[in-house]
Amino acid sequence: MNNLSKTTLIDQLTVEVYQNRNILGQEAAKAVVLKMKELLSNKNRIRMIFAAAPSQNEFLETLTKAEGIDWSRVTAFHMDEYIGLPASASQRFGRFLKERLFDTVKPGVVHFIDSENSIEEECKRYADLLSEQPIDMVCLGIGENGHIAFNDPPVADFQDPSIIKSVELDLVCRQQQVNDGCFTDLKSVPTQALTLTIPTLVAANYLFCIVPGTNKSEALKHTLSGPITTDCPASILRQHGHCTLYADDDSFELVANG
């Protein structure tokens, strides 16, 4: 495989390391496209969940250019949304994915999380939609605190009985939103969000985890080298038999150096 720096298996998790985030995003997208085509050759429809974050930019851009996918047979979800931001806010995750992916590829169905709805009603509505059929694929990232979706360490639960829930965002998570350039300062970042739970995410048949950049190196070290614990929620990915994690030399640096 071109530009592949390293590949390794950690527990059940396949890890591929590329030279930089551009190549990482391109190669992850190629793998997702191949799996989509394979599934669509055997099924009438597939169901996918996407993450909204700057770490996904190169991956999403490559995905929009892929040829030969019948997106009209794709039902798409996203995995989290802020509570308290108006529908017009540029930081809304649904808007992020709409602008960077959905408006271009035009999936047959897109289910957006409506955090302006009653929280209890929205959790039930979205849970019902997610439960209609199994999820085929999840494309996700890892936060600086090791979160997947908005399952920060204080609220992460590997046996969570909920499909989607409201959570308080921890300080590291909120500061990351400033670091990523999504908000100008910490006080502008919402303190609550809706998130798909960890069991919902890992119940999918195939997971593709895109983790570029030096700012993710500490989280990636704990994910790959530490114990499997909610102190680093992403560590649960090591128990999924069909998950590939895509890193670059920057994000993998602390793991490589022990």
Side-chain angles (χ1 to χ4, degrees):
M1 189 178 296
N2 293 337
N3 303 306
L4 183 65
S5 297
K6 179 183 178 63
T7 183
T8 187
L9 185 68
I10 300 177
D11 296 326
Q12 299 181 63
L13 176 63
T14 300
V15 180
E16 296 184 3
V17 186
Y18 292 90
Q19 294 173 8
N20 58 58
R21 63 183 297 148
N22 288 324
I23 298 170
L24 180 165
Q26 293 164 11
E27 295 298 330
K30 289 178 186 177
V32 167
V33 167
L34 283 174
K35 182 57 66 176
M36 290 177 71
K37 290 180 177 179
E38 175 192 326
L39 293 173
L40 286 168
S41 71
N42 295 307
K43 303 178 65 170
N44 184 48
R45 299 193 64 82
I46 62 173
R47 291 157 61 82
M48 300 180 65
I49 299 172
F50 293 93
S55 63
Q56 310 296 298
N57 283 347
E58 294 82 2
F59 162 72
L60 293 173
E61 182 181 358
T62 305
L63 203 56
T64 63
K65 299 174 182 176
E67 298 179 350
I69 298 175
D70 184 358
W71 281 93
S72 69
R73 295 161 57 199
V74 176
T75 298
F77 299 83
H78 58 120
M79 58 184 60
D80 43 20
E81 187 59 90
Y82 292 114
I83 295 172
L85 287 183
S88 60
S90 62
Q91 298 95 340
R92 295 264 298 205
F93 292 140
R95 178 171 175 176
F96 180 101
L97 286 168
K98 184 177 184 295
E99 293 176 349
R100 287 167 175 79
L101 181 64
F102 300 149
D103 280 352
T104 302
V105 301
K106 295 179 170 54
V109 179
V110 178
H111 293 300
F112 291 104
I113 299 172
D114 180 8
S115 58
E116 292 186 299
N117 192 9
S118 152
I119 299 307
E120 183 178 350
E121 291 178 4
E122 185 60 12
C123 286
K124 182 182 187 308
R125 184 189 74 87
Y126 215 67
D128 288 345
L129 292 169
L130 286 160
S131 301
E132 285 178 354
Q133 296 288 336
I135 299 297
D136 295 289
M137 301 170 63
V138 172
C139 304
L140 71 159
I142 295 175
E144 292 179 18
N145 61 0
H147 74 214
I148 50 178
F150 267 147
N151 295 282
D152 293 332
V155 298
D157 183 351
F158 292 160
Q159 284 80 44
D160 205 312
S162 301
I163 293 173
I164 177 174
K165 66 181 181 181
S166 61
V167 293
E168 293 283 335
L169 302 178
D170 80 0
L171 183 60
V172 176
C173 173
R174 294 177 64 231
Q175 182 62 48
Q176 179 186 328
Q177 312 310 313
V178 180
N179 299 345
D180 285 347
C182 301
F183 293 87
T184 55
D185 52 53
L186 188 62
K187 69 176 183 295
S188 302
V189 183
T191 59
Q192 293 180 303
L194 291 174
T195 184
L196 305 194
T197 62
I198 291 173
T200 301
L201 297 171
V202 301
N205 293 325
Y206 299 95
L207 273 57
F208 299 83
C209 188
I210 293 95
V211 193
T214 303
N215 62 327
K216 300 296 178 70
S217 60
E218 190 73 32
L220 201 55
K221 179 180 180 181
H222 291 301
T223 297
L224 300 179
S225 305
I228 296 176
T229 170
T230 54
D231 290 342
C232 179
S235 61
I236 194 67
L237 300 177
R238 286 159 41 197
Q239 294 184 344
H240 196 287
H242 297 286
C243 180
T244 302
L245 188 150
Y246 299 85
D248 61 9
D249 287 344
D250 288 338
S251 62
F252 198 72
E253 181 181 9
L254 293 180
V255 180
N257 293 335

